[in-house]
Amino acid sequence: MGQPKQVVVYAASGYTGRLTCESLTSLKVPFVAAGRNQGRLDEVVNEMRGRGADCEARVVEHTPWGLRELLHGMKVVINTSGPFSALGHAVVDAALAEGCNYVDCTGEQDFMLDLRRDFSSRYASEKLVLAPSTAFLWGPGSAAAALVLETPGIDTLEITYAPTTLQTVASLQSMFRATRRPMFSIVDGMLRQMPVGDTRKVTLPNGETRGAMRIGAGESTFFLDDPRVRRCETFFANDELVLASPVFKAWEKLSHIGPAARMDKWSDALIVRFKKDPPLERPESAAYVITVLGQGGGKTVRCVLNGHSQYVITGFFGAMAAQSLLEGRALRYGYGSISQILGARYVLERLEEAGTIASFEPPLAARATSGTSDTVARA
């Protein structure tokens, strides 16, 4: 039977769920692979066991009692089942009821704001972690921004994600749902709604120029109550996305012709019909860069994160978070980014294991905690 299993990967047979199982296997964390299809779950478990994993498959109904039964006695659930605005709330409810820490890979700001409003204090009172976007979106940017903010006077954050065009079915479904909902950035210390499809040109650290779209991101939900932050905006640098901005604007206008649930169902079905999950990422063709620019008080601090394989990073993020929470590393409870929960330096140090390297200009002050890697400490 192996060791007691205290980690659940929900939707384990999906694109991101399988990658999460791979990372848990590499980190030697026992886990339960859960979902609704026994055959697909068995494929994942058999493959992971062949790599040395201590894991088991468990079929579950996506109902309140089915999810509670799944999470009973568990310490961490890694939820990879999207779109989260449709499927996530039930998992968050069940995790709270069963005393289980919750992390997920959502990029949906509206869902994150719901969790922040409805669950943060309840999770905190139970000494439980509620850490959405423990993923490529919006994990690395939040960690880098937290360190940029250590420079006194910095009050403005501009975060730019520049990934490859690789996209799963669930990611595209989430994106279309998001365009129909209000999106926010922090302006003058408050959430302000932004227009759909707002674009501009950005220059990446390597000199490449891309179109970028301003989006409602997780960073604004994480730094909303931080008194240091006057402004926080996030951009997604992708020329194909910018070319599609008129479609998103039109879709947002069409969203008013019918109930939200019906429009979501229609767009989800349309995407499933015409979109397939991509092949596995190849490091040599899946490079990404994330930049965080902090300004204020006459100072400028810039962090550049270089890495590859955004979906592999997402799987690693969830597995690393679960391992760290089992080790009792949580610094706070309730709603927060994984860097607020575990510490930004620790998170960037762990990301080095997956090939993401951070550099800062000017270098950060030598205030690194013990155990921080030389690369991040020098940054």
Side-chain angles (χ1 to χ4, degrees):
M1 294 294 291
Q3 303 179 50
K5 296 169 184 63
Q6 299 178 311
V7 174
V8 174
V9 181
Y10 187 56
S13 63
Y15 190 96
T16 304
R18 182 184 290 265
L19 291 171
T20 304
C21 293
E22 290 181 3
S23 285
L24 286 168
T25 299
S26 297
L27 293 175
K28 302 188 185 306
V29 178
F31 63 92
V32 172
R36 290 178 290 179
N37 187 303
Q38 184 72 61
R40 293 181 63 186
L41 291 171
D42 286 341
E43 288 179 8
V44 173
V45 165
N46 290 336
E47 180 183 347
M48 297 307 127
R49 285 175 175 170
R51 302 183 186 188
D54 182 2
C55 60
E56 63 184 65
R58 192 173 302 175
V59 173
V60 59
E61 294 183 1
H62 191 84
T63 63
W65 289 110
L67 292 168
R68 286 195 61 172
E69 183 179 7
L70 170 69
L71 299 182
H72 182 70
M74 296 295 172
K75 297 294 186 184
V76 184
V77 57
I78 308 169
N79 184 17
T80 67
S81 179
F84 289 84
S85 60
L87 302 172
H89 293 84
V91 186
V92 177
D93 265 322
L96 176 62
E98 295 300 329
C100 180
N101 294 294
Y102 175 94
V103 301
D104 71 28
C105 60
T106 188
E108 300 168 42
Q109 189 191 58
D110 62 307
F111 172 71
M112 299 175 72
L113 288 170
D114 285 350
L115 299 195
R116 186 179 183 278
R117 181 193 65 221
D118 298 336
F119 289 96
S120 183
S121 62
R122 297 164 65 190
Y123 265 72
S125 67
E126 298 296 327
K127 291 184 167 50
L128 293 172
V129 164
L130 178 61
S133 291
T134 300
F136 173 76
L137 301 177
W138 312 101
S142 297
L147 294 183
V148 166
L149 285 169
E150 289 185 354
T151 298
I154 297 294
D155 64 2
T156 299
L157 297 169
E158 184 177 292
I159 303 159
T160 302
Y161 288 78
T164 61
T165 57
L166 189 71
Q167 193 175 60
T168 66
V169 170
S171 294
L172 191 57
Q173 288 175 328
S174 294
M175 185 177 296
F176 267 83
R177 284 169 172 260
T179 62
R180 295 187 51 259
R181 292 160 167 82
M183 295 186 290
F184 301 90
S185 58
I186 297 176
V187 179
D188 295 329
M190 302 175 62
L191 285 182
R192 302 286 188 185
Q193 187 171 346
M194 65 180 71
V196 173
D198 185 22
T199 64
R200 71 175 197 181
K201 291 289 187 181
V202 298
T203 301
L204 303 181
N206 65 359
E208 177 188 357
T209 299
R210 287 191 192 180
M213 182 179 291
R214 188 158 60 116
I215 53 178
E219 285 90 358
S220 291
T221 78
F222 296 138
F223 292 116
L224 180 56
D225 288 332
D226 193 319
R228 299 170 296 177
V229 179
R230 181 180 62 84
R231 192 177 191 95
C232 179
E233 295 184 305
T234 303
F235 293 83
F236 205 83
N238 183 286
D239 288 324
E240 292 184 11
L241 184 64
V242 169
L243 288 173
S245 62
V247 176
F248 292 128
K249 291 177 182 179
W251 179 240
E252 191 273 337
K253 292 178 180 179
L254 285 173
S255 68
H256 302 296
I257 68 175
R262 185 174 71 188
M263 298 297 289
D264 287 342
K265 185 176 181 180
W266 184 83
S267 64
D268 286 351
L270 188 66
I271 289 166
V272 167
R273 181 176 179 182
F274 292 103
K275 169 74 174 173
K276 301 296 181 185
D277 278 336
L280 294 178
E281 294 164 304
R282 300 178 62 181
E284 64 273 16
S285 59
Y288 64 75
V289 61
I290 302 167
T291 61
V292 178
L293 179 67
Q295 295 179 305
K299 302 172 184 176
T300 298
V301 179
R302 186 185 193 191
C303 175
V304 177
L305 294 162
N306 284 288
H308 61 82
S309 308
Q310 65 208 47
Y311 283 98
V312 172
I313 287 294
T314 293
F316 176 80
F317 248 122
M320 176 275 293
Q323 180 190 48
S324 301
L325 292 173
L326 291 179
E327 294 172 350
R329 290 182 175 272
L331 303 175
R332 54 177 270 191
Y333 301 103
Y335 183 91
S337 70
I338 197 59
S339 60
Q340 290 170 330
I341 301 297
L342 299 177
R345 281 185 168 83
Y346 174 78
V347 168
L348 290 184
E349 177 185 319
R350 294 301 304 270
L351 277 176
E352 289 183 22
E353 298 175 26
T356 296
I357 305 299
S359 60
F360 290 80
E361 183 59 43
L364 293 182
R367 289 176 287 179
T369 58
S370 60
T372 302
S373 71
D374 289 342
T375 302
V376 177
R378 286 196 303 268

